[in-house]
Every structure is written in C-alpha cells, then in structure tokens.
Amino acid sequence: MDLRGEEMPSPEPNGEELQEVRGWLLEAESVLVLTGAGISAESGVPTFRGGGVEPGLWDRYRPEELATPEAFARDPELVWGWYSWRRTLVGDCRPNPAHEALARFAAGRRGVHLVTQNVDHLHEEAARNLGSSLLPLHLHGSLFRDRCSGCGKEWDVQPKGPHGTMPLPRCESCHSLLRPGVVWFGEMLDAGELDVAARLAQQAALTLVVGTSGLVYPAAGLPRVTLEAGGRVVEVNLEPTPLTPQAHRVFLGSAARLLPLLLDG
Ligand code: BV8
Ligand code: ZN
C-alpha cells in the first residue's frame, strides 16, 4: 500500500505489536536510534527521494547531482544556491512530535543513543526544548556549518541567516572557497564517528530505524550490524524499504504519529 504523501490514512498500528516493542525498549540495556530525512518531513524539511520535496527551483536536480565535490568544483554558484535555499528553508522548520518523543524517551534513562543521517538541527532543538541529553551523532555533517575547502577550518553558521552566497564565501585565513560542512557523495565519512556508530549498532539490544530509505551507505549498513550481533531491529517508515524484510517489527505510517505511540507508552 503506497502511503506516500499521506493521501491515505496510515493503518492503525497493531496494539499488541506496539505493546511488545515497548517491552523490548524498556528491557533493552542499549538502544540505538538511526534517523533519516523522513523524521524531519513533517517539520517541512524536504526528503531526498520521497515525495514532499518543495516543487519548483530545485525539483529538476537530484541530490546525488548536487551533493558532490565534482558538482561543487564544476559550478560552485549552483551548489551554494542549493545549500543557501535549504539553509533558509530548514532554518524556519521546528521539531515535530517525532523528534520530541525521542527526546522525552531518552530523558531520565540511560543507554539511548542517536545517530542521524540528517543535516538539520531538529533533534538538538527538541532536546534543548525538553531538557533531554539526547544529542545526535551527525554521520553526514551539518547544514549549518561552513568548512574551508583549502585549510579545512570549520565553524557554525546561524540558522536564521541571511544566507546570501554572492560573492561566493571565502576563507579569511587562506582565501579558499568555503563549502557547506556536510559529507558529499563519494566523500568518506569521519572515520572516528563511523566507528562510534558501528560500535553502538554492535552493542544495541535494539536499533530503531526511523524515516530512512536505507539506500545510502555506510549509514544504511548499521541496522545489519545490530542484526548480526543478535540484536533486534524495529523500523518506522511511511513505506517498506530494503531493510523491512529483516526488521523484527515494522510500523508503517508517519513518524510524528507513530513515535509518540511507541515511545511515550
Ligand atoms: C562513502 C549530506 C566511501 C549532504 C548525504 C558509486 C560512487 C560513489 C559512491 C557510491 C557509489 N555507489 C555507492 C556509493 C556510496 C554512496 C551511496 O551510498 N550512494 C547511494 C545513493 C547508492 N555513499 C557515499 O558516497 C558516502 N561515502 O561511501 O565514502 C566511498 C568513497 C568513494 C567511492 C565509494 C565509496 C557518503 C554518503 C553521504 C552523502 N551525503 N547528505 C546533503 O544533505 O546535502 S546523503 C543524504 O541521503 C542525506 O544525508 C540523507 O540523510 C541520506 C539518506 O537519505 P534518507 O535520510 O534515507 O532520506 P530519503 O529521502 O532517501 O528517504 C526518506 C525516507 O523517509 C523514505 O523511506 C520515506 O518513505 C520516509 N518518510 C518520508 N516521510 C516520512 C517518512 N517516514 C516516516 N514518517 C514520515 N512522515
Ligand atoms: Zn582556509
């Protein structure tokens, strides 16, 4: 059943399965949560491959065409235009009930870890709003950081902007072009962070996978690390993904609706 765009109401989650998974979560000494663009979709952040991408200017580009070092080398104005548009759009988005349910779930208990593929800061904002310590490990970097393409210096960018990009921003120290502080396709992830994520997946009694198409590696390989180590995997997504057949339980529907049901108990 195609649940894209939520034209059709998601099926009511199976109450027994919700109860069962809540029991697994409570008894789990270590829980890893892996999130993708789908958890931020209901905050208004466009996903990469699914519906809901803002129509118009960027509709004709695929992320794999713009989020690459080659695209930046070929046309830095185009790539900076895309990131500037995303910074302005994402800077106006707020956490949704899915981010908040995760932040509440981690508050007051140990052993909950969060790894995100997202480059927005909505997990951090939900944690700040709710006094939760659940801060994500960003495997693909952050939309709100600049990095010098020459000397590698990095610094935070204010989400509120303005995010003008002409003339193209340059490093004050070495005058090289600045680039967004994200990991592009074809670029290595930070080895240390990937090691930490892999160890969390290895140790997790349960890995909860929320809102990812499971297509981008090495992040997409993390749930299988949990499975191979004997842990459980639970998936929350609008639709089935390549992970679905191996997951112990799958809840089809929107994260903003399902996570509070699953985590608030
Ligand atoms: C690497 C940051 C070693 C930038 C991103 C050939 C050549 C070169 C590389 C490769 C190749 N083949 C494979 C690779 C490896 C490549 C890869 O996996 N490619 C894929 C496309 C096949 N990976 C890499 O390049 C990585 N580096 O491997 O280095 C190397 C080096 C050289 C050569 C080989 C290997 C680097 C990957 C990081 C790329 N950077 N983002 C930016 O954001 O601008 S990836 C980008 O995709 C985002 O980070 C995003 O998080 C990520 C994954 O996407 P999802 O989060 O899953 O989002 P998506 O839209 O796909 O899906 C949303 C899901 O949510 C859907 O399932 C939908 O149903 C669901 N959903 C929607 N709404 C809701 C919902 N669910 C619940 N509720 C809702 N409301
Ligand atoms: Zn520099």
Side-chain angles (χ1 to χ4, degrees), residues 147-153 155 170-178:
R147 182 187 316 141
C148 172
S149 57
C151 64
K153 272 194 194 128
W155 50 90
R170 287 189 174 274
C171 174
E172 284 168 11
S173 316
C174 73
H175 208 58
S176 305
L177 271 182
L178 301 187

Side-chain angles (χ1 to χ4, degrees), residues 67-69 147 179-180 182-190 217-218:
T68 69
R147 182 187 316 141
R179 52 163 287 177
V182 297
V183 179
W184 278 330
F185 288 100
E187 291 186 321
M188 305 293 275
L189 280 62
D190 176 283
Y217 284 83

Side-chain angles (χ1 to χ4, degrees), residues 36-38 41-42 47-50 64 67 82-83 86 117-119 140 182-189 211-218 237-239 253-255:
E42 284 155 293
T47 61
F48 285 80
R49 295 165 192 88
E64 285 82 354
W82 184 49
Y83 279 94
R86 286 173 65 193
Q117 300 170 85
N118 297 343
V119 292
H140 297 158
V182 297
V183 179
W184 278 330
F185 288 100
E187 291 186 321
M188 305 293 275
L189 280 62
T212 180
S213 56
L215 297 174
V216 175
Y217 284 83
N237 199 307
L238 278 186
E239 60 183 16
S254 92

Side-chain angles (χ1 to χ4, degrees), residues 21-259:
V21 172
R22 274 196 218 117
W24 292 350
L25 287 165
L26 286 177
E27 74 193 19
E29 286 207 359
S30 172
V31 173
L32 172 63
V33 184
L34 172 67
T35 61
I39 199 169
S40 297
E42 284 155 293
S43 296
V45 179
T47 61
F48 285 80
R49 295 165 192 88
V53 175
E54 295 280 314
L57 183 57
W58 301 104
D59 220 11
R60 63 178 181 276
Y61 295 103
R62 289 185 323 114
E64 285 82 354
E65 288 172 309
L66 292 179
T68 69
E70 295 74 19
F72 186 69
R74 189 175 53 246
D75 191 342
E77 283 84 0
L78 175 69
V79 173
W80 261 120
W82 184 49
Y83 279 94
S84 164
W85 170 76
R86 286 173 65 193
R87 281 180 171 175
T88 304
L89 176 75
V90 175
D92 289 339
C93 295
R94 301 281 63 82
N96 68 57
H99 299 103
E100 291 164 349
L102 279 180
R104 279 194 301 273
F105 173 63
R109 73 164 274 178
R110 295 168 49 77
V112 181
H113 305 279
L114 174 59
V115 170
T116 188
Q117 300 170 85
N118 297 343
V119 292
D120 63 52
H121 283 192
L122 297 179
H123 283 305
E124 288 87 339
E125 188 172 334
R128 222 179 12 257
N129 295 345
L130 295 165
S132 166
S133 59
L134 187 66
L135 294 178
L137 189 157
H138 281 273
L139 282 182
H140 297 158
S142 163
L143 189 57
F144 299 107
R145 279 186 71 80
D146 274 351
R147 182 187 316 141
C148 172
S149 57
C151 64
K153 272 194 194 128
E154 280 210 16
W155 50 90
D156 286 333
V157 169
Q158 285 315 312
K160 282 293 165 208
H163 300 309
T165 56
M166 298 312 280
L168 289 177
R170 287 189 174 274
C171 174
E172 284 168 11
S173 316
C174 73
H175 208 58
S176 305
L177 271 182
L178 301 187
R179 52 163 287 177
V182 297
V183 179
W184 278 330
F185 288 100
E187 291 186 321
M188 305 293 275
L189 280 62
D190 176 283
E193 290 180 348
L194 192 54
D195 277 351
V196 168
R199 201 160 8 90
L200 291 171
Q202 173 95 23
Q203 292 163 353
L206 190 149
T207 288
L208 177 62
V209 184
V210 184
T212 180
S213 56
L215 297 174
V216 175
Y217 284 83
L222 291 170
R224 285 173 193 79
V225 171
T226 300
L227 290 171
E228 282 154 21
R232 290 182 172 125
V233 167
V234 174
E235 183 178 35
V236 173
N237 199 307
L238 278 186
E239 60 183 16
T241 72
L243 176 68
T244 301
Q246 288 112 312
H248 289 81
R249 287 290 175 274
V250 178
F251 295 98
L252 290 182
S254 92
R257 191 169 73 84
L258 288 171
L259 283 200

